[in-house]
Amino acid sequence: MKLRNKVALVTGSSSGIGRGVALGFAREGADVVVNHPGGNQAAAAETICEEIKQLGRQSIAVQADVSVEAEARELCRAAMEHFGRVDILVNNAGIAAASPVHEIPVEQWDRVIAVHLRGTFLMTREILSQMYLRGQGRIINTASQLAYKGAPGFSHYTAAKGAIISFTRSVALEIGNRGITINCVAPGATRTPILADVPPDLLEEIRRGIPLGRIAEVEDIVPSYIFLASEDGRHYHGQCLSPNGGDVFL
Ligand code: NAD
């Protein structure tokens, strides 16, 4: 077990990659705070908590919109109150919206940037303060291969993901050698609910463009998070791992 007795907080872990990371961490011995934004995600989050408990680990589900300062703070407070510390923060919560740039409503632009970028900032700010006190911790942010490739119709999404990579590098320099690492994972196209609205012919085109010839499953992505969260990843700092089937070379 690579994460025995660690406490992890995974944002947006009621579905997709976040769910996979939460369960993957629990299988490696971690207790997990499952975050969800409410609505129809609440029941899914409770189910994941139960699955984690069946693995012999502790888990709580906490509703919070990570883009709202007070809610991000409350999420961290709930985690601290229940577990006393957070060893691993995974910033994963995300949304996607497609629109040509000349038609993006300002509200849509702001929402996409806020959930990804402001949420990552707010959660990092809250958790980093207590990690500094303990002199240890792991922060893993979720970027995307589209930060490198770009994607027509997704200028806000790709701008947010590129900014998350830059944010990670700057924070890595700020943290220095305080015993805490911060890194990114930049997944390639992965079969999750976020791709639900992508037309099948476009998905097939994406698949054909991937040298390994397939869209990733969540299980293809989770090991990068486990690696960065574990002792094995101790010398990675300010980096970005790219499980993408060879779609982008860095
Ligand atoms: P998903 O829709 O299954 O997961 C996103 C999760 O974030 C959901 O559980 C959702 O409820 C939650 N969420 C949304 N807004 C939130 C908010 N304001 N506060 C808290 N939680 C919120 O999709 P996914 O593919 O698993 O996406 C997870 C992350 O991976 C996202 O950051 C996404 O951009 C990134 N990503 C996905 C792909 C892909 O192809 N699936 C590729 C690269 C990166």
Side-chain angles (χ1 to χ4, degrees):
M1 285 199 182
K2 295 188 166 164
L3 304 176
R4 191 185 297 276
N5 296 330
K6 298 290 184 192
V7 177
L9 192 170
V10 184
T11 70
S13 44
S14 49
S15 75
I17 293 171
R19 174 183 182 277
V21 169
L23 289 168
F25 279 9
R27 284 189 198 100
E28 293 294 339
D31 297 330
V32 186
V33 179
V34 174
N35 159 247
H36 65 91
N40 64 1
Q41 296 295 302
E46 291 298 342
T47 304
I48 292 157
C49 277
E50 284 311 311
E51 288 178 71
I52 290 171
K53 287 175 189 164
Q54 279 165 21
L55 291 167
R57 305 309 314 179
Q58 292 186 56
S59 182
I60 55 168
V62 183
Q63 176 185 343
D65 178 340
V66 293
S67 71
V68 176
E69 183 177 19
E71 295 190 32
R73 186 163 284 159
E74 181 55 25
L75 168 58
C76 297
R77 195 201 59 73
M80 291 297 291
E81 184 178 282
H82 195 87
F83 290 111
R85 65 185 199 282
V86 173
D87 299 301
I88 305 158
L89 167 65
V90 175
N91 286 310
N92 165 81
I95 55 171
S99 178
V101 68
H102 64 284
E103 290 175 2
I104 295 179
V106 169
E107 296 72 23
Q108 188 186 92
W109 175 275
D110 286 348
R111 186 71 193 139
V112 171
I113 299 286
V115 173
H116 291 278
L117 184 56
R118 193 213 283 219
T120 297
F121 154 65
L122 289 172
M123 292 300 297
T124 300
R125 187 180 67 171
E126 291 300 316
I127 292 293
L128 196 51
S129 304
Q130 62 95 16
M131 284 182 175
Y132 276 160
L133 292 175
R134 297 176 46 244
Q136 57 177 289
R138 295 288 162 91
I139 300 174
I140 306 167
N141 297 327
T142 303
S144 165
Q145 66 159 352
L146 298 183
Y148 300 109
K149 280 184 83 162
F154 290 91
S155 58
H156 35 17
Y157 180 86
T158 57
K161 292 305 195 185
I164 285 172
I165 294 173
S166 297
F167 172 78
T168 302
R169 291 172 178 164
S170 292
V171 177
L173 294 174
E174 276 186 34
I175 292 172
N177 67 351
R178 285 178 163 101
I180 302 157
T181 67
I182 182 167
N183 293 286
C184 283
V185 176
T190 307
R191 227 174 276 285
T192 72
I194 217 170
L195 294 187
D197 294 336
V198 179
D201 52 339
L202 180 54
L203 266 186
E204 174 56 17
E205 195 182 315
I206 293 169
R207 187 198 65 73
R208 270 191 271 114
I210 299 171
L212 287 186
R214 64 183 178 83
I215 305 277
E217 302 297 335
V218 167
E219 291 68 30
D220 296 313
I221 309 301
V222 171
S224 294
Y225 288 86
I226 293 174
F227 171 74
L228 289 172
S230 73
E231 187 56 18
D232 292 342
R234 62 187 174 275
H235 209 52
Y236 284 72
H237 195 37
Q239 308 294 319
C240 195
L241 295 189
S242 301
N244 62 31
D247 200 7
V248 177
F249 298 147
L250 298 171

